[in-house]
Amino acid sequence: NTMLSWQRTAFHFQPEKNWMNDPNGPVFYKGWYHFFYQYNPNAAVWGDIVWGHAVSRDMIHWLHLPLAMVPDQWYDINGVWTGSATILPDGQLVMLYTGSTNESVQVQNLAYPADPSDPLLINWVKYSGNPVLVPPPGIAAKDFRDPTTAWYTSEGKWRIAIGSKINKTGISLLYDTEDFKTYESVDGILHGVSGTGMWECVDFYPVSTTTKYGLDTSINGPGIKHVVKASMDDDRHDYYALGTYDDKTATWVPDNPTIDVGVGIRYDYGLFYASKTFYDQDKKRRVLWGWVGESDSESADVKKGWASLQGLPRTVVLDQKTGTNLLQWPVEEVESLRLTSKKFDNVKLKPGSVVPLDVGPATQLDIVAEFVLDKDALKRIGESNEEFSCSNSGGAAHRGAIGPFGLLVLADKSLTEQTPVYFYVVKGIDGKLETFFCTDQTRSSEASDVNKIIYGNYIPVLEGEKLSLRILVDHSIVESFAQGGRSSITSRVYPTKAIYGAARVLLFNNATESSITSSLEIWQMNSAFIRPYSNDQKLL
Ligand code: DQQ
């Protein structure tokens, strides 16, 4: 339906039509980034799940390849579900995935490339001895899914994690294997958190406390922390925690039990789920992919004939300044899409002001902005016991002494449609500043069948740091990062007026007391080539 084509994106990965969900088996192989994904080839709603497949040289421009795996065996006939890739030391690639059997039992299966010398990995073989793992005693048939990338143990075996639950405790089971065909279950669990429910798409990986590089999944030793991430089926968000992994006891302990998996930090405070990282051995970085669904109605998806995007691939590293969170940042290749830019230096925003930024069309943008609060006002402003929360404190229309301030993106001329991405600062009773990072969808669209909640959360800001935002606008997605990627908010928006040439971007400061000075640069973004393989053979 071309009527709805403005919602299609220009530089986010999406299939040509129909439904997509989780990223699967991302890997760099023989010069190509491979991206597999949960896909329904028949409709714009979840069902009939197969593995879609695309390849790229840079994770920006993509060639769609034939489906990699479809349900054609008793052990995956109800769906070829989520899985992960492991590269063995000799360069061999193995894929483990969950199959939903003819009886809807969740089992783990092994697959491998039919022709390992084919850099495009077009054909896949399912192992004749599948399934390689079935739900163990005490685990329900439908609570056993999403194997991770394997890592090497000190005993010389491969270890994988699989998400599950026991009663309401979300857990991650572990298995050891030497050949990916036979497995022994590891006593106990990697980790579990009561009350969190089913853990989907568990991810487990090391991060360096001293270098800026990503780490291969098997790396362990001094100067390393381990991340456990799980996608909470109950609240549909991806939570991670930093902690210490002990290879010998096969357990992981969070640094801080109050910010444990499922009860602490999220990758993203908007729409972002079922994410998965991989180690890019080419650029020595760890890259995070996450599924960004729709927040309009299912009937709207059926009408437009497609549903879901993938967020931009993000590098993930430990935030070595705070030590308590990760930093996520769009891969540097995104910057290759930057066209012309406009700079705005030291724009002074008085309390209650809005400043249009003349950048031309504003549907494909990369915005980098810094904000400085007014020092005198900060001294003058009294301490407050306001219990602010992005979601429940009235959004960008609610005026406090120091905020909200930030950008209005995808705004129409009259500002009846606008999506504010902003900070809100509270001077607490101890005199310290507390900062919140939010995105307000309440006025993002005049349509009534779309999600209008306000996203966001507290964000750590260290002494002397400027407040900073990076916002990528791509038609129907606004992907925002604050403080260099300490937190992110991804939002799907469906403007009816702020589309094509009518979309604008503005600065705003809705504070009552503090003025704000902002410096920013805004790039127009090119469109990526995301096309079927057959039309693009010459790109090879
Ligand atoms: N999606 C897959 C499952 C996974 C869920 C099925 C998470 O393997 O648990 O499409 O979105």
Side-chain angles (χ1 to χ4, degrees), residues 19 21-22 24 38-39 46 49 80-83 98 106 145-146 198-201 231 233 236 273-274 291:
W19 168 273
N21 54 294
D22 318 354
N24 291 158
Q38 295 281 284
Y39 183 58
W46 187 88
I49 294 292
V80 182
W81 288 0
T82 282
T98 299
Q106 294 170 7
R145 58 184 180 270
D146 311 331
M198 177 66 193
W199 283 11
E200 298 187 309
C201 303
S231 303
D233 197 14
R236 311 299 292 170
Y273 193 67
W291 164 38

mmCIF file of all heavy atoms in Angstrom, residues 19 21-22 24 38-39 46 49 80-83 98 106 145-146 198-201 231 233 236 273-274 291, ligand 1:
data_model
loop_
_atom_site.group_PDB
_atom_site.id
_atom_site.type_symbol
_atom_site.label_atom_id
_atom_site.label_comp_id
_atom_site.label_asym_id
_atom_site.label_seq_id
_atom_site.Cartn_x
_atom_site.Cartn_y
_atom_site.Cartn_z
ATOM 1 N N TRP A 19 6.119 -9.847 8.098
ATOM 2 C CA TRP A 19 6.506 -9.720 9.515
ATOM 3 C C TRP A 19 7.948 -10.150 9.782
ATOM 4 O O TRP A 19 8.405 -11.166 9.263
ATOM 5 C CB TRP A 19 5.581 -10.603 10.341
ATOM 6 C CG TRP A 19 6.026 -10.802 11.750
ATOM 7 C CD1 TRP A 19 6.898 -11.763 12.213
ATOM 8 C CD2 TRP A 19 5.646 -10.042 12.889
ATOM 9 N NE1 TRP A 19 7.076 -11.640 13.576
ATOM 10 C CE2 TRP A 19 6.306 -10.590 14.014
ATOM 11 C CE3 TRP A 19 4.802 -8.939 13.085
ATOM 12 C CZ2 TRP A 19 6.157 -10.085 15.304
ATOM 13 C CZ3 TRP A 19 4.652 -8.438 14.368
ATOM 14 C CH2 TRP A 19 5.324 -9.002 15.469
ATOM 15 N N ASN A 21 10.712 -10.538 13.322
ATOM 16 C CA ASN A 21 10.998 -10.252 14.742
ATOM 17 C C ASN A 21 12.469 -10.462 15.065
ATOM 18 O O ASN A 21 13.300 -9.787 14.436
ATOM 19 C CB ASN A 21 9.998 -10.895 15.725
ATOM 20 C CG ASN A 21 9.766 -12.373 15.635
ATOM 21 O OD1 ASN A 21 9.236 -12.860 14.651
ATOM 22 N ND2 ASN A 21 10.126 -13.111 16.665
ATOM 23 N N ASP A 22 12.841 -11.330 15.969
ATOM 24 C CA ASP A 22 14.191 -11.345 16.539
ATOM 25 C C ASP A 22 15.333 -11.433 15.526
ATOM 26 O O ASP A 22 15.255 -12.194 14.566
ATOM 27 C CB ASP A 22 14.400 -12.566 17.436
ATOM 28 C CG ASP A 22 13.235 -12.878 18.337
ATOM 29 O OD1 ASP A 22 12.279 -12.097 18.376
ATOM 30 O OD2 ASP A 22 13.289 -13.927 19.001
ATOM 31 N N ASN A 24 18.743 -13.090 14.499
ATOM 32 C CA ASN A 24 19.253 -14.453 14.706
ATOM 33 C C ASN A 24 20.649 -14.598 14.115
ATOM 34 O O ASN A 24 20.931 -14.068 13.035
ATOM 35 C CB ASN A 24 18.348 -15.476 14.010
ATOM 36 C CG ASN A 24 16.969 -15.622 14.660
ATOM 37 O OD1 ASN A 24 16.033 -16.068 14.015
ATOM 38 N ND2 ASN A 24 16.834 -15.242 15.918
ATOM 39 N N GLN A 38 13.945 -13.709 12.448
ATOM 40 C CA GLN A 38 12.650 -14.370 12.513
ATOM 41 C C GLN A 38 11.725 -13.685 11.515
ATOM 42 O O GLN A 38 11.547 -12.459 11.552
ATOM 43 C CB GLN A 38 12.076 -14.247 13.933
ATOM 44 C CG GLN A 38 12.898 -14.968 14.989
ATOM 45 C CD GLN A 38 12.637 -16.460 14.989
ATOM 46 O OE1 GLN A 38 11.622 -16.920 15.468
ATOM 47 N NE2 GLN A 38 13.573 -17.223 14.426
ATOM 48 N N TYR A 39 11.129 -14.485 10.660
ATOM 49 C CA TYR A 39 10.372 -13.899 9.560
ATOM 50 C C TYR A 39 9.153 -14.741 9.234
ATOM 51 O O TYR A 39 9.224 -15.977 9.225
ATOM 52 C CB TYR A 39 11.286 -13.825 8.330
ATOM 53 C CG TYR A 39 10.666 -13.177 7.116
ATOM 54 C CD1 TYR A 39 10.188 -11.872 7.169
ATOM 55 C CD2 TYR A 39 10.563 -13.875 5.902
ATOM 56 C CE1 TYR A 39 9.621 -11.281 6.050
ATOM 57 C CE2 TYR A 39 9.995 -13.279 4.783
ATOM 58 C CZ TYR A 39 9.526 -11.982 4.865
ATOM 59 O OH TYR A 39 8.965 -11.389 3.763
ATOM 60 N N TRP A 46 2.880 -12.187 13.337
ATOM 61 C CA TRP A 46 3.734 -13.299 13.735
ATOM 62 C C TRP A 46 3.105 -14.636 13.347
ATOM 63 O O TRP A 46 1.907 -14.834 13.511
ATOM 64 C CB TRP A 46 3.984 -13.249 15.247
ATOM 65 C CG TRP A 46 4.995 -14.253 15.714
ATOM 66 C CD1 TRP A 46 6.340 -14.083 15.770
ATOM 67 C CD2 TRP A 46 4.739 -15.583 16.181
ATOM 68 N NE1 TRP A 46 6.940 -15.233 16.234
ATOM 69 C CE2 TRP A 46 5.982 -16.168 16.488
ATOM 70 C CE3 TRP A 46 3.574 -16.343 16.343
ATOM 71 C CZ2 TRP A 46 6.106 -17.465 16.981
ATOM 72 C CZ3 TRP A 46 3.697 -17.643 16.825
ATOM 73 C CH2 TRP A 46 4.951 -18.196 17.144
ATOM 74 N N ILE A 49 7.018 -19.164 11.291
ATOM 75 C CA ILE A 49 8.334 -18.522 11.382
ATOM 76 C C ILE A 49 9.464 -19.312 10.715
ATOM 77 O O ILE A 49 9.676 -20.484 10.989
ATOM 78 C CB ILE A 49 8.684 -18.219 12.851
ATOM 79 C CG1 ILE A 49 7.731 -17.158 13.433
ATOM 80 C CG2 ILE A 49 10.143 -17.750 12.988
ATOM 81 C CD1 ILE A 49 7.832 -15.758 12.877
ATOM 82 N N VAL A 80 10.912 -22.257 12.950
ATOM 83 C CA VAL A 80 12.370 -22.220 13.096
ATOM 84 C C VAL A 80 12.644 -20.962 13.918
ATOM 85 O O VAL A 80 12.650 -19.853 13.403
ATOM 86 C CB VAL A 80 13.058 -22.143 11.717
ATOM 87 C CG1 VAL A 80 14.583 -22.156 11.871
ATOM 88 C CG2 VAL A 80 12.617 -23.300 10.824
ATOM 89 N N TRP A 81 12.811 -21.162 15.223
ATOM 90 C CA TRP A 81 12.885 -20.021 16.127
ATOM 91 C C TRP A 81 14.316 -19.563 16.356
ATOM 92 O O TRP A 81 15.244 -19.998 15.686
ATOM 93 C CB TRP A 81 12.146 -20.355 17.424
ATOM 94 C CG TRP A 81 10.647 -20.390 17.221
ATOM 95 C CD1 TRP A 81 9.967 -20.163 16.044
ATOM 96 C CD2 TRP A 81 9.660 -20.687 18.195
ATOM 97 N NE1 TRP A 81 8.618 -20.286 16.251
ATOM 98 C CE2 TRP A 81 8.394 -20.605 17.561
ATOM 99 C CE3 TRP A 81 9.707 -21.000 19.554
ATOM 100 C CZ2 TRP A 81 7.194 -20.831 18.255
ATOM 101 C CZ3 TRP A 81 8.524 -21.225 20.233
ATOM 102 C CH2 TRP A 81 7.278 -21.133 19.590
ATOM 103 N N THR A 82 14.451 -18.721 17.382
ATOM 104 C CA THR A 82 15.688 -17.961 17.538
ATOM 105 C C THR A 82 16.913 -18.807 17.868
ATOM 106 O O THR A 82 16.825 -19.797 18.590
ATOM 107 C CB THR A 82 15.440 -16.851 18.575
ATOM 108 O OG1 THR A 82 14.733 -15.825 17.890
ATOM 109 C CG2 THR A 82 16.707 -16.270 19.150
ATOM 110 N N GLY A 83 18.049 -18.370 17.331
ATOM 111 C CA GLY A 83 19.298 -19.070 17.591
ATOM 112 C C GLY A 83 20.504 -18.189 17.350
ATOM 113 O O GLY A 83 20.373 -17.005 17.016
ATOM 114 N N THR A 98 16.278 -22.861 18.107
ATOM 115 C CA THR A 98 15.152 -23.549 18.726
ATOM 116 C C THR A 98 14.165 -23.947 17.652
ATOM 117 O O THR A 98 13.830 -23.135 16.782
ATOM 118 C CB THR A 98 14.457 -22.634 19.747
ATOM 119 O OG1 THR A 98 15.406 -22.293 20.761
ATOM 120 C CG2 THR A 98 13.246 -23.319 20.385
ATOM 121 N N GLN A 106 9.633 -27.225 22.682
ATOM 122 C CA GLN A 106 10.796 -26.431 22.289
ATOM 123 C C GLN A 106 12.060 -27.265 22.431
ATOM 124 O O GLN A 106 12.403 -27.706 23.527
ATOM 125 C CB GLN A 106 10.841 -25.140 23.109
ATOM 126 C CG GLN A 106 9.645 -24.263 22.750
ATOM 127 C CD GLN A 106 9.440 -23.068 23.642
ATOM 128 O OE1 GLN A 106 10.255 -22.757 24.502
ATOM 129 N NE2 GLN A 106 8.327 -22.367 23.422
ATOM 130 N N ARG A 145 14.200 -22.236 25.346
ATOM 131 C CA ARG A 145 14.492 -21.735 23.991
ATOM 132 C C ARG A 145 15.626 -20.707 23.918
ATOM 133 O O ARG A 145 16.051 -20.163 24.913
ATOM 134 C CB ARG A 145 13.230 -21.157 23.355
ATOM 135 C CG ARG A 145 12.558 -20.024 24.099
ATOM 136 C CD ARG A 145 11.256 -19.654 23.361
ATOM 137 N NE ARG A 145 10.550 -18.569 24.015
ATOM 138 C CZ ARG A 145 9.630 -18.748 24.977
ATOM 139 N NH1 ARG A 145 9.330 -19.970 25.402
ATOM 140 N NH2 ARG A 145 9.032 -17.706 25.522
ATOM 141 N N ASP A 146 16.049 -20.500 22.684
ATOM 142 C CA ASP A 146 16.978 -19.440 22.286
ATOM 143 C C ASP A 146 18.419 -19.674 22.751
ATOM 144 O O ASP A 146 18.950 -18.924 23.588
ATOM 145 C CB ASP A 146 16.475 -18.060 22.760
ATOM 146 C CG ASP A 146 15.013 -17.826 22.404
ATOM 147 O OD1 ASP A 146 14.555 -18.390 21.388
ATOM 148 O OD2 ASP A 146 14.319 -17.092 23.135
ATOM 149 N N MET A 198 9.613 -15.846 32.309
ATOM 150 C CA MET A 198 10.400 -16.518 31.266
ATOM 151 C C MET A 198 11.482 -15.604 30.695
ATOM 152 O O MET A 198 11.212 -14.474 30.295
ATOM 153 C CB MET A 198 9.461 -16.963 30.146
ATOM 154 C CG MET A 198 10.139 -17.601 28.963
ATOM 155 S SD MET A 198 10.940 -19.194 29.345
ATOM 156 C CE MET A 198 11.927 -19.428 27.870
ATOM 157 N N TRP A 199 12.708 -16.133 30.634
ATOM 158 C CA TRP A 199 13.820 -15.411 29.999
ATOM 159 C C TRP A 199 13.947 -15.873 28.556
ATOM 160 O O TRP A 199 14.269 -17.034 28.299
ATOM 161 C CB TRP A 199 15.134 -15.688 30.739
ATOM 162 C CG TRP A 199 15.289 -14.933 32.021
ATOM 163 C CD1 TRP A 199 14.335 -14.217 32.694
ATOM 164 C CD2 TRP A 199 16.490 -14.829 32.801
ATOM 165 N NE1 TRP A 199 14.861 -13.676 33.838
ATOM 166 C CE2 TRP A 199 16.187 -14.034 33.932
ATOM 167 C CE3 TRP A 199 17.778 -15.322 32.667
ATOM 168 C CZ2 TRP A 199 17.126 -13.726 34.912
ATOM 169 C CZ3 TRP A 199 18.726 -15.018 33.644
ATOM 170 C CH2 TRP A 199 18.404 -14.222 34.752
ATOM 171 N N GLU A 200 13.707 -14.959 27.631
ATOM 172 C CA GLU A 200 13.902 -15.248 26.222
ATOM 173 C C GLU A 200 15.238 -14.666 25.786
ATOM 174 O O GLU A 200 15.745 -13.704 26.379
ATOM 175 C CB GLU A 200 12.782 -14.610 25.380
ATOM 176 C CG GLU A 200 11.391 -15.150 25.704
ATOM 177 C CD GLU A 200 10.333 -14.637 24.736
ATOM 178 O OE1 GLU A 200 10.244 -13.418 24.504
ATOM 179 O OE2 GLU A 200 9.573 -15.466 24.207
ATOM 180 N N CYS A 201 15.769 -15.232 24.715
ATOM 181 C CA CYS A 201 16.940 -14.653 24.042
ATOM 182 C C CYS A 201 18.040 -14.223 25.008
ATOM 183 O O CYS A 201 18.528 -13.085 24.953
ATOM 184 C CB CYS A 201 16.525 -13.465 23.182
ATOM 185 S SG CYS A 201 15.284 -13.880 21.962
ATOM 186 N N SER A 231 15.643 -11.228 27.711
ATOM 187 C CA SER A 231 14.442 -10.541 27.233
ATOM 188 C C SER A 231 13.275 -11.081 28.043
ATOM 189 O O SER A 231 13.025 -12.284 28.049
ATOM 190 C CB SER A 231 14.246 -10.827 25.743
ATOM 191 O OG SER A 231 15.399 -10.428 25.030
ATOM 192 N N ASP A 233 9.835 -11.981 28.821
ATOM 193 C CA ASP A 233 8.586 -12.241 28.119
ATOM 194 C C ASP A 233 7.415 -11.529 28.817
ATOM 195 O O ASP A 233 6.479 -11.088 28.161
ATOM 196 C CB ASP A 233 8.354 -13.762 28.092
ATOM 197 C CG ASP A 233 7.334 -14.163 27.045
ATOM 198 O OD1 ASP A 233 7.008 -13.340 26.170
ATOM 199 O OD2 ASP A 233 6.857 -15.314 27.100
ATOM 200 N N ARG A 236 8.269 -7.568 28.131
ATOM 201 C CA ARG A 236 8.712 -7.286 26.770
ATOM 202 C C ARG A 236 9.837 -6.261 26.677
ATOM 203 O O ARG A 236 9.880 -5.439 25.765
ATOM 204 C CB ARG A 236 7.532 -6.860 25.881
ATOM 205 C CG ARG A 236 6.326 -7.769 25.956
ATOM 206 C CD ARG A 236 6.573 -9.176 25.538
ATOM 207 N NE ARG A 236 6.856 -9.341 24.119
ATOM 208 C CZ ARG A 236 7.290 -10.484 23.572
ATOM 209 N NH1 ARG A 236 7.487 -11.546 24.325
ATOM 210 N NH2 ARG A 236 7.536 -10.562 22.286
ATOM 211 N N TYR A 273 13.684 -5.256 21.614
ATOM 212 C CA TYR A 273 13.466 -6.556 22.264
ATOM 213 C C TYR A 273 14.226 -7.657 21.545
ATOM 214 O O TYR A 273 14.584 -7.536 20.366
ATOM 215 C CB TYR A 273 11.956 -6.864 22.257
ATOM 216 C CG TYR A 273 11.595 -8.018 23.160
ATOM 217 C CD1 TYR A 273 11.724 -7.899 24.541
ATOM 218 C CD2 TYR A 273 11.132 -9.219 22.637
ATOM 219 C CE1 TYR A 273 11.405 -8.961 25.378
ATOM 220 C CE2 TYR A 273 10.790 -10.279 23.471
ATOM 221 C CZ TYR A 273 10.942 -10.147 24.837
ATOM 222 O OH TYR A 273 10.624 -11.189 25.664
ATOM 223 N N ALA A 274 14.409 -8.750 22.291
ATOM 224 C CA ALA A 274 14.976 -9.986 21.729
ATOM 225 C C ALA A 274 16.338 -9.741 21.107
ATOM 226 O O ALA A 274 16.705 -10.360 20.112
ATOM 227 C CB ALA A 274 14.018 -10.608 20.709
ATOM 228 N N TRP A 291 15.439 -6.075 17.912
ATOM 229 C CA TRP A 291 14.173 -6.010 17.157
ATOM 230 C C TRP A 291 13.339 -4.812 17.637
ATOM 231 O O TRP A 291 13.087 -4.659 18.824
ATOM 232 C CB TRP A 291 13.415 -7.322 17.367
ATOM 233 C CG TRP A 291 11.967 -7.303 16.993
ATOM 234 C CD1 TRP A 291 11.384 -6.678 15.937
ATOM 235 C CD2 TRP A 291 10.906 -7.967 17.690
ATOM 236 N NE1 TRP A 291 10.019 -6.916 15.924
ATOM 237 C CE2 TRP A 291 9.713 -7.713 16.992
ATOM 238 C CE3 TRP A 291 10.857 -8.763 18.842
ATOM 239 C CZ2 TRP A 291 8.476 -8.212 17.400
ATOM 240 C CZ3 TRP A 291 9.625 -9.264 19.246
ATOM 241 C CH2 TRP A 291 8.454 -8.990 18.531
HETATM 242 N N1 DQQ B 1 10.827 -15.082 19.447
HETATM 243 C C1 DQQ B 1 11.127 -16.406 18.967
HETATM 244 C C2 DQQ B 1 11.453 -17.200 20.183
HETATM 245 C C3 DQQ B 1 11.861 -16.156 21.152
HETATM 246 C C4 DQQ B 1 10.904 -15.050 20.871
HETATM 247 C C5 DQQ B 1 9.947 -16.927 18.188
HETATM 248 C C6 DQQ B 1 11.362 -13.719 21.386
HETATM 249 O O1 DQQ B 1 12.492 -18.134 19.926
HETATM 250 O O2 DQQ B 1 11.806 -16.603 22.480
HETATM 251 O O3 DQQ B 1 9.692 -16.115 17.069
HETATM 252 O O4 DQQ B 1 10.789 -12.660 20.696
#
